[in-house]
Amino acid sequence: MTIKHALPVTRAQDFAAWYQAVIAEADMAEDSGVRGCMVIRPWGWGIWERMQRLLDDQIKATGHENCYFPLFIPLSYFEKEAEHVEGFAKEMAVVTHHRLKAVNGKLVVDPEARLEEPLVVRPTSETVIGAAFSRWVQSWRDLPVLINQWANVVRWEMRTRMFLRTAEFLWQEGHTAHATEAEAREETLRMLEVYRRFAEEAVAMPVIAGEKPENERFPGAVATYSIEAMMQDGKALQAGTSHFLGTTFSKAQNIRFQSADGQLELAQTTSWGVSTRMVGGLIMTHGDDDGLRVPPRLAPWQVVIVPMLRDGPEDAAVLDYCRTLAAELQAQSAFGEPLRATVDARPAKASNKRWAWVKKGAPLIVEVGPRDMAGGNVSVIRRDRLYGEGGKLASAVRPRADFVAEAASLLEEIQAGLFAEAKARLDAGIRRDVGDFAGLEAAFADSETMPGWVEVEWCKPTGDALDKVDQRLKALKLTLRNVDMNAAPATGSCIFTGAPAVERVLVGRSY
Amino acid sequence: MTIKHALPVTRAQDFAAWYQAVIAEADMAEDSGVRGCMVIRPWGWGIWERMQRLLDDQIKATGHENCYFPLFIPLSYFEKEAEHVEGFAKEMAVVTHHRLKAVNGKLVVDPEARLEEPLVVRPTSETVIGAAFSRWVQSWRDLPVLINQWANVVRWEMRTRMFLRTAEFLWQEGHTAHATEAEAREETLRMLEVYRRFAEEAVAMPVIAGEKPENERFPGAVATYSIEAMMQDGKALQAGTSHFLGTTFSKAQNIRFQSADGQLELAQTTSWGVSTRMVGGLIMTHGDDDGLRVPPRLAPWQVVIVPMLRDGPEDAAVLDYCRTLAAELQAQSAFGEPLRATVDARPAKASNKRWAWVKKGAPLIVEVGPRDMAGGNVSVIRRDRLYGEGGKLASAVRPRADFVAEAASLLEEIQAGLFAEAKARLDAGIRRDVGDFAGLEAAFADSETMPGWVEVEWCKPTGDALDKVDQRLKALKLTLRNVDMNAAPATGSCIFTGAPAVERVLVGRSY
């Protein structure tokens, strides 16, 4: 029996169209009418809010404090750090005026309200935060400075795609200053590890944590690390980055301190960020042809109860049964927090509501009709095991008390199952048997199969030699991803130059 | 004995300078170097974050969901609602270009990257959210729409003052659409009540909730309600507003729905907001000449433990004693949440740390030296009762276990005490005995005493008649605040016109 899936397009048919369909059908986000900006709807926002909460807890647990810095950065701040400008200067939103006026009933920009110095809408905040650090840091006693902000940033992207690349996006950006390079490098890796754990434990999205090659570094960074996740089409998504900035920004912004032995020294800084792009990663990791599947830790509602109402006299009793059930579930603890359960009592057909929650990916959907109520039962649909034998929707009748008692462990099982499924796909999707460039070409020649990534040995070229490698890869629509911290040591020769290899680097298509 | 207070200026000497001193000395915020924008530092941010958490809980408990809408609003959106434009058009940040370029080593705005349509940085989001509502609302079944967003907004203020009036500020803006006027009006008042309770219960800041007069309405609103708080200098601070917008925005943005009986109707909308201005209100309500006093519900740290270290061999044991104490306190529950306690182990003199926390206004400061440790004691300073008889710093030695057991109730007592103190001031600060305009002039003639507010009877004039009242008040630097929901009925004549009065309105100086 062929299953008639809930989405109008399947992953196999057209992955890009499927991605847009999930976002629309799961009520995650929509076009705003403002170029490159989206409206994040309650279900999408609820997931981001959960991500924020869990990641923020980890950022605080590692000793960081939240602050807030201005949205606008004066143009001159960008001139101080040449390499940073080069990387960002090109596409930024610039505020040039501070007033509108009405002319013949039309609103226009008032030419008399031109700003003396244009203000850039922050694309990232190293410059303005560096200026604050230079005020805050005088002595070694003031270090380390460990701060973070949750903010919106704008990069004027030409081609946008919801959650993955939008003109305005939301993120956290951590910024720290340290007395020594060793401490700053340790911080950079600490936050990379916080991101790895967050991606794997909260988002159930397995990642490869490693250092980016030189050409993929953040503008101004000495070293950039990333977590890279494999989407279901085999492409890589850079889902978080952590940068060791050395003294690049402390030189530009004059972040100096008197050391314990009286010397004036430059601070060593880091920055690191995770954005709403993570929501796109979640969709492309866990979505299926029926919509989204939200990992229970992040689901705004972990259990959704749908009463089967028939506009009849027993409706009130069914609703009451559902509400009591929700209260019983809310008294349970899942993942160390109160379980999040709700009753969907909106005026709509129960089957429409069921499918709406399937598409949104609520982990457990519980249907309750008069018959369930009479038997003291509930009918439970697991979003991660939607179809049973013969392709029929799998709904299990369970005694209500039993379901309440087992709901938390079901959610934990679903969380673990989603991770295991994605981990198996990642592991199977990385080839390590390619020994030369021809082999790499061959690996990506067949566009019919999921290409995944290839881990190859290389000599870690820099400068022009690296540019050459980059161009050869670009011709195959490939990019260097990162060097897995846990990669095996190199034993052979560089597939690009034939020189002795020094490490293994991941190559793949990417978002 | 004259107390030597911790701030360089007292409230009595110069209230405005005192306000800036609290912000600086309590590490709340600082100038950013970007015109009209501030940096909110960790202690200030921590308080705002607590406000967000508690208010967000209430917004959700009343059925609203969070979303996120774009930072940028196309200029043309503002043209749709004339009255709204009139109110906001004047001072807004306008993005006109999307690229910078380097010319002779200087960065300039690239003239070729001019936007076809300028983008306004949102001053508020009725227009762009109204456009979304018009997509979301088709049938009565889609109503009500109950949403909220936490966001930054920009209004190009000429004179700025930290937290009270900044170019960029942070807020939540709720937006709802309803099928009937009655429902929308009920929503408007429901959120006003949420704000009143939040201000009084979380911020410990008593307020008057009531309707603003016509001339103080939000641009486009049919009715605007506010909560007004009295600062220690007697001035009013509008600390939150809730607007019934009628069909103003649904007409402009075409928010129409098919009613149950098949008619096409305009939705009735509301909006309501509370901003970082509330932090300014907290400072001017609870600050004293030694700095801030943070209500325990909002304090990032409710108990700060300062070890008295002497670079001696017993330091490790003292630190250990402090950390165990912190853990014991964290296991307690205050206001239904885990108690927030920390050890300040930074390398600085204990007395400097004590005074830093006094200035920041941590509710309980606990000092632990070798002698306290030896006796199994702690020395407790209550920030709300800093000085004892003779003006000496009041520090009470308590057995450690007793302090742990009583900490939560001490915090509750401090919270209640701060509210009671402010409530007594508000009650004493409103005069209701002024029967004519000359009396009003006299009430505010003496600038030496705290003028407070005067509740007067008036005939609720509109249009030109109201403008005239407004101008007479302006000459006295006074404004109409609001009409207290709980005011006594009018019994006499209007102090402005002599006509029969219909209600009582509050008049005062304001921020």
Side-chain angles (χ1 to χ4, degrees):
Chain A
M1 177 179 154
T2 311
I3 295 169
K4 170 85 180 66
H5 288 289
L7 294 186
V9 54
T10 66
R11 290 162 290 176
Q13 286 166 348
D14 183 340
F15 196 79
W18 166 84
Y19 177 73
Q20 297 298 338
V22 175
I23 289 173
E25 299 283 327
D27 287 342
M28 301 282 286
E30 65 186 23
D31 276 326
S32 66
V34 182
R35 193 192 160 293
C37 298
M38 60 180 175
V39 173
I40 306 181
R41 300 190 63 178
W43 190 247
W45 184 261
I47 293 170
W48 173 242
E49 205 167 77
R50 290 284 312 153
M51 285 184 176
Q52 286 187 295
R53 186 71 63 102
L54 296 178
L55 185 53
D56 193 60
D57 285 347
Q58 290 310 308
I59 288 171
K60 285 178 176 147
T62 44
H64 305 86
E65 293 183 302
N66 287 339
C67 307
Y68 189 75
F69 293 85
L71 172 66
F72 299 132
I73 302 179
L75 186 52
S76 58
Y77 282 40
F78 286 88
E79 291 176 334
K80 293 184 185 168
E81 213 305 287
E83 198 178 337
H84 187 61
V85 177
E86 185 54 35
F88 278 102
K90 288 177 185 108
E91 298 298 339
M92 302 197 274
V94 190
V95 175
T96 56
H97 291 74
H98 65 81
R99 193 185 304 133
L100 300 177
K101 66 173 188 178
V103 174
N104 302 329
K106 296 285 285 180
L107 273 181
V108 297
V109 179
D110 184 345
E112 286 176 26
R114 190 159 175 275
L115 297 175
E116 267 183 52
E117 178 175 9
L119 295 173
V120 174
V121 181
R122 62 183 163 213
T124 181
S125 302
E126 276 74 11
T127 56
V128 70
I129 293 181
F133 280 10
S134 78
R135 295 191 296 271
W136 298 352
V137 174
Q138 312 294 333
S139 144
W140 64 273
R141 284 188 192 81
D142 302 322
L143 294 170
V145 181
L146 305 172
I147 62 114
N148 176 64
Q149 78 171 352
W150 290 92
N152 52 347
V153 289
V154 173
R155 299 176 189 178
W156 206 262
E157 304 285 353
M158 283 299 112
R159 285 189 308 175
T160 61
R161 189 180 274 191
M162 282 194 207
F163 291 112
L164 300 178
R165 182 170 280 111
T166 48
E168 180 190 13
F169 61 93
L170 305 175
W171 76 347
Q172 60 65 220
E173 48 179 322
H175 296 266
T176 69
H178 307 262
T180 67
E181 173 171 345
E183 257 187 59
R185 284 191 180 272
E186 193 187 322
E187 165 79 6
T188 309
L189 293 179
R190 180 183 302 118
M191 298 321 292
L192 183 71
E193 173 62 10
V194 164
Y195 288 165
R196 186 197 65 73
R197 283 189 53 186
F198 169 71
E200 300 201 335
E201 294 177 8
V203 192
M205 183 173 83
V207 294
I208 302 290
E211 188 176 352
K212 302 290 279 188
E214 182 190 270
N215 63 326
E216 297 278 347
R217 275 184 205 142
F218 176 75
V222 175
T224 286
Y225 298 82
S226 70
I227 52 170
E228 304 276 334
M230 187 181 286
M231 304 294 99
Q232 289 182 64
D233 61 353
K235 285 192 192 169
L237 184 80
Q238 178 178 296
T241 49
S242 186
H243 314 290
F244 168 58
L245 303 172
T247 57
T248 305
F249 288 91
S250 56
K251 268 184 210 141
Q253 306 285 343
N254 198 31
I255 313 170
R256 282 166 212 275
F257 67 98
Q258 194 146 36
S259 66
D261 56 5
Q263 301 297 309
L264 199 61
E265 292 183 20
L266 285 166
Q268 304 273 340
T269 70
T270 82
S271 69
W272 26 274
V274 153
S275 75
T276 33
R277 177 167 242 229
M278 190 66 92
V279 179
L282 183 154
I283 295 169
M284 291 194 289
T285 300
H286 301 302
D288 66 16
D289 296 337
D290 294 294
L292 188 58
R293 298 182 302 172
V294 188
R297 265 184 196 267
L298 297 178
W301 299 119
Q302 295 166 320
V303 182
V304 175
I305 303 162
V306 177
M308 318 282 272
L309 305 177
R310 283 141 198 222
D311 291 323
E314 77 285 9
D315 279 5
V318 169
L319 257 178
D320 199 48
Y321 185 90
C322 289
R323 294 206 165 111
T324 309
L325 173 62
E328 288 165 354
L329 288 165
Q330 286 157 5
Q332 303 295 308
S333 170
F335 306 101
E337 292 180 278
L339 195 154
R340 297 184 292 279
T342 189
V343 178
D344 181 356
R346 290 171 305 164
K349 272 178 64 182
S351 64
N352 289 349
K353 288 198 262 186
R354 172 212 292 157
W355 283 103
W357 289 108
V358 165
K359 289 189 280 186
K360 284 184 162 161
L364 292 170
I365 301 163
V366 176
E367 296 179 307
V368 174
R371 201 160 11 139
D372 297 296
M373 180 176 65
N377 293 325
V378 296
S379 296
V380 181
I381 298 170
R382 278 179 66 151
R383 180 59 183 86
D384 64 332
R385 298 188 190 164
L386 206 51
Y387 299 103
E389 277 177 48
K392 273 189 65 181
L393 192 73
S395 179
V397 176
R398 298 283 299 147
R400 164 174 155 175
D402 291 6
F403 173 69
V404 169
E406 75 202 8
S409 57
L410 272 178
L411 292 170
E412 283 160 26
E413 188 182 315
I414 294 171
Q415 180 85 23
L418 288 175
F419 178 75
E421 186 183 322
K423 184 72 167 72
R425 193 167 53 232
L426 173 65
D427 290 344
I430 302 180
R431 287 183 58 177
R432 295 191 171 83
D433 61 349
V434 171
D436 53 27
F437 195 81
L440 188 69
E441 280 183 302
F444 289 96
D446 183 1
S447 66
E448 290 303 302
T449 58
M450 182 187 93
W453 308 341
V454 177
E455 191 180 71
V456 300
E457 302 204 5
W458 78 331
C459 64
K460 200 182 181 179
T462 60
D464 289 349
L466 177 58
D467 283 349
K468 222 176 247 172
V469 166
D470 196 40
Q471 280 158 29
R472 285 174 77 187
L473 290 172
K474 233 176 220 155
L476 301 174
K477 293 183 183 163
L478 295 173
T479 53
L480 296 162
R481 303 317 303 158
N482 68 10
V483 175
D484 185 349
M485 315 272 285
N486 298 314
T491 54
S493 54
C494 173
I495 72 152
F496 303 108
T497 64
V502 300
E503 64 185 12
R504 294 167 195 264
V505 65
L506 287 165
V507 173
R509 298 205 165 121
S510 73
Y511 282 95
Chain B
M1 178 181 153
T2 312
I3 295 170
K4 170 84 179 69
H5 287 288
L7 294 186
V9 55
T10 66
R11 289 161 291 177
Q13 286 166 346
D14 183 339
F15 195 79
W18 166 85
Y19 177 72
Q20 296 299 335
V22 175
I23 289 173
E25 299 283 327
D27 287 342
M28 301 282 287
E30 66 186 22
D31 275 327
S32 67
V34 182
R35 194 192 158 293
C37 298
M38 61 181 172
V39 173
I40 306 181
R41 300 191 63 180
W43 191 248
W45 185 262
I47 293 170
W48 174 241
E49 205 169 78
R50 290 285 311 153
M51 286 184 176
Q52 284 187 297
R53 186 71 65 97
L54 295 178
L55 184 54
D56 193 61
D57 286 348
Q58 290 310 308
I59 289 171
K60 285 176 177 149
T62 43
H64 305 85
E65 294 182 301
N66 287 338
C67 310
Y68 189 75
F69 292 85
L71 172 67
F72 300 131
I73 302 179
L75 185 53
S76 58
Y77 281 40
F78 286 88
E79 291 176 335
K80 293 184 184 166
E81 212 305 285
E83 199 178 336
H84 187 62
V85 177
E86 185 56 34
F88 277 101
K90 287 175 188 111
E91 298 298 337
M92 302 199 272
V94 191
V95 175
T96 56
H97 292 73
H98 66 81
R99 193 186 303 133
L100 301 177
K101 67 173 186 177
V103 175
N104 302 330
K106 296 285 286 179
L107 274 179
V108 298
V109 178
D110 184 346
E112 287 176 24
R114 191 160 176 275
L115 295 175
E116 268 185 51
E117 177 173 10
L119 295 173
V120 174
V121 180
R122 61 183 164 213
T124 180
S125 303
E126 276 74 11
T127 56
V128 71
I129 293 182
F133 280 9
S134 78
R135 296 190 297 270
W136 298 352
V137 173
Q138 312 294 332
S139 144
W140 64 274
R141 284 188 191 81
D142 302 322
L143 293 170
V145 180
L146 305 172
I147 63 112
N148 176 62
Q149 78 171 352
W150 291 92
N152 52 348
V153 290
V154 172
R155 298 175 190 179
W156 206 260
E157 303 286 354
M158 282 299 113
R159 285 189 309 176
T160 60
R161 190 179 275 189
M162 282 194 208
F163 291 112
L164 299 177
R165 182 171 281 111
T166 48
E168 179 189 13
F169 61 93
L170 305 175
W171 75 348
Q172 59 68 219
E173 48 179 321
H175 296 267
T176 69
H178 306 262
T180 67
E181 174 171 344
E183 255 187 62
R185 285 190 179 271
E186 192 186 324
E187 165 78 7
T188 308
L189 294 178
R190 180 183 302 117
M191 298 322 291
L192 182 71
E193 173 62 9
V194 164
Y195 288 166
R196 187 198 62 74
R197 284 190 52 187
F198 169 71
E200 301 201 335
E201 294 178 8
V203 192
M205 183 174 82
V207 293
I208 302 289
E211 187 175 352
K212 302 290 278 187
E214 181 190 90
N215 62 328
E216 297 277 347
R217 273 183 205 144
F218 176 76
V222 175
T224 286
Y225 298 82
S226 70
I227 52 170
E228 304 275 334
M230 186 181 287
M231 304 295 98
Q232 288 182 63
D233 61 352
K235 286 192 191 169
L237 183 81
Q238 179 177 298
T241 48
S242 186
H243 314 289
F244 168 57
L245 304 173
T247 57
T248 305
F249 288 91
S250 56
K251 267 184 209 141
Q253 305 286 344
N254 198 30
I255 312 171
R256 283 167 211 274
F257 67 97
Q258 193 146 39
S259 67
D261 56 5
Q263 302 297 308
L264 199 61
E265 292 184 18
L266 285 167
Q268 305 273 339
T269 69
T270 83
S271 69
W272 27 275
V274 154
S275 75
T276 34
R277 177 166 240 230
M278 188 67 92
V279 179
L282 183 155
I283 295 169
M284 291 193 290
T285 301
H286 300 302
D288 66 16
D289 295 338
D290 293 295
L292 188 58
R293 298 182 301 172
V294 187
R297 265 184 196 268
L298 297 179
W301 298 119
Q302 295 166 320
V303 182
V304 175
I305 303 162
V306 178
M308 318 283 272
L309 305 177
R310 286 140 197 222
D311 292 324
E314 76 285 7
D315 279 6
V318 169
L319 258 178
D320 199 50
Y321 185 91
C322 290
R323 292 206 168 111
T324 309
L325 171 63
E328 288 165 355
L329 288 165
Q330 286 156 4
Q332 303 295 308
S333 171
F335 305 102
E337 292 181 278
L339 194 153
R340 296 182 293 279
T342 190
V343 178
D344 182 356
R346 291 172 304 164
K349 273 178 63 183
S351 64
N352 289 349
K353 288 198 262 185
R354 172 212 292 156
W355 283 103
W357 289 109
V358 165
K359 289 188 281 186
K360 284 184 164 166
L364 292 171
I365 302 164
V366 176
E367 295 178 307
V368 175
R371 205 167 3 148
D372 297 297
M373 181 175 64
N377 294 324
V378 295
S379 296
V380 181
I381 297 170
R382 277 180 67 154
R383 179 59 184 87
D384 65 331
R385 296 187 191 165
L386 206 51
Y387 299 102
E389 277 177 45
K392 273 188 65 181
L393 192 73
S395 179
V397 176
R398 297 285 298 150
R400 166 174 153 173
D402 290 6
F403 174 69
V404 170
E406 75 203 7
S409 59
L410 273 178
L411 293 170
E412 282 160 27
E413 190 183 313
I414 294 171
Q415 179 85 24
L418 288 175
F419 178 76
E421 186 183 322
K423 183 74 167 72
R425 194 168 52 232
L426 173 65
D427 289 345
I430 302 180
R431 288 183 58 176
R432 295 193 172 81
D433 60 351
V434 171
D436 53 28
F437 195 81
L440 188 69
E441 279 182 302
F444 290 95
D446 182 1
S447 65
E448 289 304 300
T449 58
M450 184 188 92
W453 308 340
V454 177
E455 192 180 73
V456 300
E457 302 205 6
W458 79 332
C459 64
K460 200 181 181 179
T462 59
D464 290 347
L466 177 56
D467 285 346
K468 223 175 247 174
V469 165
D470 197 39
Q471 280 158 28
R472 285 174 76 187
L473 290 172
K474 233 176 219 155
L476 302 173
K477 294 184 182 159
L478 295 173
T479 53
L480 296 162
R481 304 316 304 158
N482 68 13
V483 174
D484 186 348
M485 315 272 284
N486 299 314
T491 55
S493 54
C494 175
I495 72 151
F496 303 106
T497 64
V502 300
E503 63 186 11
R504 294 168 195 264
V505 65
L506 287 165
V507 173
R509 300 206 164 121
S510 73
Y511 281 95

PDB file of all heavy atoms in Angstrom, chain A residues 37-48:
ATOM      1  N   CYS A  37      13.367  39.184   4.886  1.00  0.00           N
ATOM      2  CA  CYS A  37      12.990  39.006   6.294  1.00  0.00           C
ATOM      3  C   CYS A  37      11.765  38.120   6.383  1.00  0.00           C
ATOM      4  O   CYS A  37      10.885  38.189   5.537  1.00  0.00           O
ATOM      5  CB  CYS A  37      12.670  40.360   6.937  1.00  0.00           C
ATOM      6  SG  CYS A  37      14.059  41.500   6.960  1.00  0.00           S
ATOM      7  N   MET A  38      11.710  37.282   7.397  1.00  0.00           N
ATOM      8  CA  MET A  38      10.567  36.395   7.540  1.00  0.00           C
ATOM      9  C   MET A  38       9.785  36.734   8.800  1.00  0.00           C
ATOM     10  O   MET A  38      10.281  37.407   9.687  1.00  0.00           O
ATOM     11  CB  MET A  38      11.031  34.942   7.597  1.00  0.00           C
ATOM     12  CG  MET A  38      11.972  34.625   8.743  1.00  0.00           C
ATOM     13  SD  MET A  38      12.466  32.853   8.715  1.00  0.00           S
ATOM     14  CE  MET A  38      13.658  32.875  10.056  1.00  0.00           C
ATOM     15  N   VAL A  39       8.553  36.263   8.842  1.00  0.00           N
ATOM     16  CA  VAL A  39       7.783  36.278  10.080  1.00  0.00           C
ATOM     17  C   VAL A  39       7.949  34.897  10.700  1.00  0.00           C
ATOM     18  O   VAL A  39       7.672  33.892  10.044  1.00  0.00           O
ATOM     19  CB  VAL A  39       6.285  36.544   9.815  1.00  0.00           C
ATOM     20  CG1 VAL A  39       5.479  36.389  11.091  1.00  0.00           C
ATOM     21  CG2 VAL A  39       6.082  37.919   9.202  1.00  0.00           C
ATOM     22  N   ILE A  40       8.420  34.831  11.927  1.00  0.00           N
ATOM     23  CA  ILE A  40       8.514  33.547  12.616  1.00  0.00           C
ATOM     24  C   ILE A  40       7.220  33.366  13.393  1.00  0.00           C
ATOM     25  O   ILE A  40       6.885  34.172  14.260  1.00  0.00           O
ATOM     26  CB  ILE A  40       9.732  33.488  13.563  1.00  0.00           C
ATOM     27  CG1 ILE A  40      11.012  33.839  12.778  1.00  0.00           C
ATOM     28  CG2 ILE A  40       9.840  32.101  14.190  1.00  0.00           C
ATOM     29  CD1 ILE A  40      12.287  33.778  13.614  1.00  0.00           C
ATOM     30  N   ARG A  41       6.467  32.321  13.020  1.00  0.00           N
ATOM     31  CA  ARG A  41       5.152  32.105  13.624  1.00  0.00           C
ATOM     32  C   ARG A  41       5.270  31.344  14.948  1.00  0.00           C
ATOM     33  O   ARG A  41       6.343  30.837  15.278  1.00  0.00           O
ATOM     34  CB  ARG A  41       4.254  31.371  12.627  1.00  0.00           C
ATOM     35  CG  ARG A  41       4.090  32.201  11.327  1.00  0.00           C
ATOM     36  CD  ARG A  41       3.040  31.635  10.436  1.00  0.00           C
ATOM     37  NE  ARG A  41       1.739  31.676  11.100  1.00  0.00           N
ATOM     38  CZ  ARG A  41       0.602  31.279  10.554  1.00  0.00           C
ATOM     39  NH1 ARG A  41       0.607  30.815   9.315  1.00  0.00           N
ATOM     40  NH2 ARG A  41      -0.526  31.347  11.226  1.00  0.00           N
ATOM     41  N   PRO A  42       4.186  31.271  15.723  1.00  0.00           N
ATOM     42  CA  PRO A  42       4.322  30.744  17.087  1.00  0.00           C
ATOM     43  C   PRO A  42       5.006  29.378  17.202  1.00  0.00           C
ATOM     44  O   PRO A  42       5.804  29.178  18.113  1.00  0.00           O
ATOM     45  CB  PRO A  42       2.875  30.699  17.587  1.00  0.00           C
ATOM     46  CG  PRO A  42       2.227  31.849  16.892  1.00  0.00           C
ATOM     47  CD  PRO A  42       2.831  31.846  15.505  1.00  0.00           C
ATOM     48  N   TRP A  43       4.709  28.457  16.297  1.00  0.00           N
ATOM     49  CA  TRP A  43       5.326  27.129  16.458  1.00  0.00           C
ATOM     50  C   TRP A  43       6.831  27.201  16.191  1.00  0.00           C
ATOM     51  O   TRP A  43       7.633  26.608  16.918  1.00  0.00           O
ATOM     52  CB  TRP A  43       4.655  26.110  15.530  1.00  0.00           C
ATOM     53  CG  TRP A  43       5.049  24.687  15.797  1.00  0.00           C
ATOM     54  CD1 TRP A  43       5.769  23.866  14.980  1.00  0.00           C
ATOM     55  CD2 TRP A  43       4.738  23.895  16.963  1.00  0.00           C
ATOM     56  NE1 TRP A  43       5.928  22.622  15.555  1.00  0.00           N
ATOM     57  CE2 TRP A  43       5.306  22.612  16.765  1.00  0.00           C
ATOM     58  CE3 TRP A  43       4.042  24.146  18.145  1.00  0.00           C
ATOM     59  CZ2 TRP A  43       5.196  21.584  17.715  1.00  0.00           C
ATOM     60  CZ3 TRP A  43       3.933  23.118  19.089  1.00  0.00           C
ATOM     61  CH2 TRP A  43       4.509  21.859  18.876  1.00  0.00           C
ATOM     62  N   GLY A  44       7.229  27.945  15.160  1.00  0.00           N
ATOM     63  CA  GLY A  44       8.656  28.123  14.886  1.00  0.00           C
ATOM     64  C   GLY A  44       9.328  28.895  16.005  1.00  0.00           C
ATOM     65  O   GLY A  44      10.428  28.568  16.449  1.00  0.00           O
ATOM     66  N   TRP A  45       8.651  29.936  16.491  1.00  0.00           N
ATOM     67  CA  TRP A  45       9.218  30.743  17.563  1.00  0.00           C
ATOM     68  C   TRP A  45       9.332  29.943  18.857  1.00  0.00           C
ATOM     69  O   TRP A  45      10.323  30.048  19.586  1.00  0.00           O
ATOM     70  CB  TRP A  45       8.386  32.011  17.813  1.00  0.00           C
ATOM     71  CG  TRP A  45       9.049  32.842  18.842  1.00  0.00           C
ATOM     72  CD1 TRP A  45       8.748  32.899  20.170  1.00  0.00           C
ATOM     73  CD2 TRP A  45      10.193  33.683  18.657  1.00  0.00           C
ATOM     74  NE1 TRP A  45       9.621  33.744  20.821  1.00  0.00           N
ATOM     75  CE2 TRP A  45      10.519  34.232  19.904  1.00  0.00           C
ATOM     76  CE3 TRP A  45      10.969  34.020  17.533  1.00  0.00           C
ATOM     77  CZ2 TRP A  45      11.591  35.103  20.082  1.00  0.00           C
ATOM     78  CZ3 TRP A  45      12.028  34.888  17.716  1.00  0.00           C
ATOM     79  CH2 TRP A  45      12.331  35.416  18.970  1.00  0.00           C
ATOM     80  N   GLY A  46       8.311  29.111  19.113  1.00  0.00           N
ATOM     81  CA  GLY A  46       8.339  28.301  20.327  1.00  0.00           C
ATOM     82  C   GLY A  46       9.546  27.374  20.354  1.00  0.00           C
ATOM     83  O   GLY A  46      10.159  27.159  21.403  1.00  0.00           O
ATOM     84  N   ILE A  47       9.901  26.844  19.184  1.00  0.00           N
ATOM     85  CA  ILE A  47      11.079  25.964  19.102  1.00  0.00           C
ATOM     86  C   ILE A  47      12.350  26.787  19.345  1.00  0.00           C
ATOM     87  O   ILE A  47      13.237  26.385  20.101  1.00  0.00           O
ATOM     88  CB  ILE A  47      11.117  25.252  17.730  1.00  0.00           C
ATOM     89  CG1 ILE A  47       9.939  24.272  17.637  1.00  0.00           C
ATOM     90  CG2 ILE A  47      12.444  24.546  17.516  1.00  0.00           C
ATOM     91  CD1 ILE A  47       9.720  23.680  16.254  1.00  0.00           C
ATOM     92  N   TRP A  48      12.437  27.961  18.713  1.00  0.00           N
ATOM     93  CA  TRP A  48      13.607  28.834  18.914  1.00  0.00           C
ATOM     94  C   TRP A  48      13.705  29.272  20.375  1.00  0.00           C
ATOM     95  O   TRP A  48      14.787  29.306  20.964  1.00  0.00           O
ATOM     96  CB  TRP A  48      13.519  30.044  17.988  1.00  0.00           C
ATOM     97  CG  TRP A  48      14.580  31.092  18.219  1.00  0.00           C
ATOM     98  CD1 TRP A  48      14.383  32.387  18.591  1.00  0.00           C
ATOM     99  CD2 TRP A  48      16.001  30.918  18.103  1.00  0.00           C
ATOM    100  NE1 TRP A  48      15.584  33.036  18.708  1.00  0.00           N
ATOM    101  CE2 TRP A  48      16.597  32.162  18.417  1.00  0.00           C
ATOM    102  CE3 TRP A  48      16.830  29.847  17.774  1.00  0.00           C
ATOM    103  CZ2 TRP A  48      17.981  32.361  18.406  1.00  0.00           C
ATOM    104  CZ3 TRP A  48      18.214  30.046  17.774  1.00  0.00           C
ATOM    105  CH2 TRP A  48      18.770  31.281  18.077  1.00  0.00           C
TER     106      TRP A  48
END
